[in-house]
């Protein structure tokens, strides 16, 4: 059973507007969350992360918000650019020594010029 | 500086054939992972290694074997390929003890007929 869920397979946004990608999780023991971005025919690349002791982390146009009570996080991209068109995965390290990541199913973001 | 290199990039197999995917890294990372990506399923962990000579099962290990004889290499083997193993395979590395960030290879697309 997926512990990290992305319920929107796709999202289309106009260039310059805000993109909001959502992620829900079921395991209240998760203490760290990451977002990865993936272009076609490439491997995923790390985008931004947030520790569970924070409720917001910002890096340029990208901001991740964490709502622990709702077990929900979101990635905001402002302003959205055509180059942001990609699949976005949220992920969390599961317990254990290796800190291996469990991933959501991904959201395809399309930014329209 | 290559980072994480996967070979081959593409392969077509017939049911029952065997093959090995090679992952090579030059980042001196302790941890290495093999994931598979399928439509609507996100990235699922097959096997991982926390150091040279060690391997462990992930979420979907059946039908696969792995070996980590050298720190820089992590091999994924399919002894008797099945159509259900048609997928894109990603190798990833992680600095030991760090919380979360994975560095991915470009992927290997495998088709089993």
């Amino acid at each position: 059973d997926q512990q990290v869920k992305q319920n929107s397979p796709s999202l289309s946004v106009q260039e310059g507007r805000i993109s909001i990608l959502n992620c829900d999780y079921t395991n209240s023991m998760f203490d760290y969350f990451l977002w990865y971005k993936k272009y076609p025919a490439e491997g995923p690349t790390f985008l931004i992360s947030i520790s569970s002791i924070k409720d917001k982390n910002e890096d340029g146009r990208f901001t991740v918000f964490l709502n622990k009570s709702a077990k929900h996080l979101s990635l905001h991209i402002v302003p959205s650019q055509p180059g942001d068109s990609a699949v976005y995965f949220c992920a969390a390290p599961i317990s254990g020594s290796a800190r291996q990541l469990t991933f959501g199913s991904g959201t395809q973001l399309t930014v329209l010029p | 500086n290559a980072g994480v290199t996967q070979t081959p990039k593409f392969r077509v197999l017939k049911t029952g054939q065997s093959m090995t995917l090679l992952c090579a890294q030059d980042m001196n990372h302790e941890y290495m992972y093999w994931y598979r990506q399928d439509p609507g399923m996100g990235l699922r962990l097959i096997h991982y290694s926390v150091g040279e000579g060690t391997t462990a099962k992930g979420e979907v290990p059946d039908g696969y074997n792995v070996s980590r004889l050298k720190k820089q290499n992590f091999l994924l083997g399919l002894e008797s390929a099945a159509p259900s193993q048609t997928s894109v395979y990603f190798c990833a590395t992680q600095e030991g003890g760090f919380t979360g960030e994975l560095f991915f290879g470009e992927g290997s697309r495998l088709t089993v007929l």
Side-chain angles (χ1 to χ4, degrees):
Chain A
D1 196 24
Q2 275 194 311
Q3 299 186 68
V4 177
K5 299 180 182 179
Q6 295 175 259
N7 294 317
S8 298
S10 63
L11 174 68
S12 291
V13 171
Q14 208 68 36
E15 182 179 4
R17 300 287 190 124
I18 185 171
S19 296
I20 300 176
L21 295 94
N22 294 305
C23 181
D24 297 298
Y25 60 96
T26 58
N27 189 341
S28 58
M29 298 299 290
F30 285 155
D31 59 1
Y32 199 77
F33 301 89
L34 304 92
W35 284 91
Y36 278 80
K37 176 179 181 178
K38 184 185 179 304
Y39 292 117
E42 295 184 10
T45 55
F46 170 74
L47 184 59
I48 192 169
S49 62
I50 187 167
S51 166
S52 62
I53 63 173
K54 296 184 176 182
D55 54 17
K56 175 183 174 181
N57 188 28
E58 190 172 353
D59 183 2
R61 297 185 297 113
F62 302 91
T63 302
V64 56
F65 295 93
L66 176 61
N67 182 335
K68 288 189 291 293
S69 61
K71 295 193 182 71
H72 177 83
L73 64 155
S74 60
L75 174 67
H76 293 212
I77 306 173
V78 184
S80 301
Q81 300 173 354
D84 296 328
S85 297
V87 177
Y88 290 79
F89 294 98
C90 63
I94 59 178
S95 61
S97 61
R99 303 290 279 167
Q100 62 265 34
L101 297 182
T102 185
F103 286 82
S105 55
T107 297
Q108 170 70 58
L109 173 66
T110 302
V111 180
L112 304 168
Chain B
N1 202 3
V4 181
T5 303
Q6 293 180 227
T7 53
K9 297 286 191 294
F10 302 93
R11 184 75 187 268
V12 178
L13 288 177
K14 294 181 180 179
T15 297
Q17 287 185 319
S18 64
M19 75 158 295
T20 300
L21 295 175
L22 169 64
C23 178
Q25 56 122 342
D26 62 4
M27 296 184 288
N28 203 34
H29 285 172
E30 288 293 335
Y31 297 171
M32 296 186 74
Y33 303 84
W34 276 107
Y35 283 88
R36 59 177 288 174
Q37 184 194 9
D38 302 291
M41 303 289 287
L43 293 151
R44 293 182 293 168
L45 181 64
I46 305 170
H47 285 280
Y48 64 97
S49 168
V50 300
E52 182 178 316
T54 75
T55 63
K57 294 180 180 179
E59 182 186 359
V60 288
D62 294 343
Y64 304 95
N65 56 75
V66 287
S67 64
R68 183 103 181 265
L69 299 180
K70 294 182 179 180
K71 184 177 182 179
Q72 63 267 34
N73 295 337
F74 194 28
L75 280 67
L76 177 71
L78 286 72
E79 291 184 346
S80 180
S84 61
Q85 294 177 304
T86 293
S87 187
V88 180
Y89 292 85
F90 289 98
C91 175
T93 70
Q94 184 183 49
E95 197 172 7
F98 184 77
T99 303
E101 183 177 352
L102 297 179
F103 296 85
F104 284 86
E106 293 184 339
S108 298
R109 181 175 293 276
L110 175 65
T111 302
V112 182
L113 302 175

